[in-house]
Amino acid sequence: MAKPAPEFIQYLLDELSTLGPVSGKRMFGGWGIFCDGLMFCLVIDDTLYIKADDGNREKFETAGCEKFGYMKKDKRYYLSYYQCPADAFDDSEALQEWAREGLAAALRNKK
């Protein structure tokens, strides 16, 4: 697993700053992106994954987004994060809209 480029993380933090106070933290061999202390995005291998739950999962699946998974001891595990659609990176508003979906899921699942 390659580490995400610092430029990509900074780009995401800049683009998503309209959602509130965002920050990044190294984790899982990649980065977690947080807003107000809630993780709503995951970056692995320069790929942005956004948090999903029952409230928004269908939107990600309808858009053809791939669910984040990893291998551990010959078994595949999945997290509730879906790849951000590639075309969202062509439009700041679209990227922010997808990220808002992740933030909403994080807020719904806040414990």
Side-chain angles (χ1 to χ4, degrees):
M1 207 177 299
K3 293 181 181 175
E7 300 83 23
F8 184 56
I9 299 302
Q10 190 58 56
Y11 162 78
L12 290 172
L13 294 176
D14 291 345
E15 288 292 314
L16 303 180
S17 66
T18 61
L19 304 179
V22 292
S23 61
K25 179 181 176 184
R26 290 180 190 263
M27 53 192 332
F28 309 123
W31 286 77
I33 305 291
F34 296 79
C35 185
D36 286 327
L38 294 173
M39 187 167 140
F40 68 106
C41 294
L42 174 65
V43 180
I44 302 290
D45 295 334
D46 284 335
T47 301
L48 174 64
Y49 296 91
I50 300 171
K51 186 160 185 62
D53 66 0
D54 290 341
N56 66 2
R57 185 176 297 109
E58 186 176 342
K59 183 174 181 176
F60 286 95
E61 291 173 350
T62 299
C65 300
E66 186 176 322
K67 191 170 188 178
F68 174 72
Y70 64 95
M71 293 295 293
K72 184 177 179 182
K73 296 185 180 179
D74 298 327
K75 186 173 180 186
R76 187 117 183 120
Y77 294 89
Y78 292 94
L79 298 180
S80 295
Y81 288 82
Y82 282 79
Q83 188 171 353
C84 182
D87 62 355
F89 293 98
D90 297 333
D91 177 1
S92 292
E93 289 180 21
L95 179 59
Q96 293 163 11
E97 180 182 328
W98 281 103
R100 271 198 266 325
E101 290 286 339
L103 185 54
L107 286 167
R108 285 191 293 269
N109 293 286
K110 186 177 176 180
K111 293 187 169 118

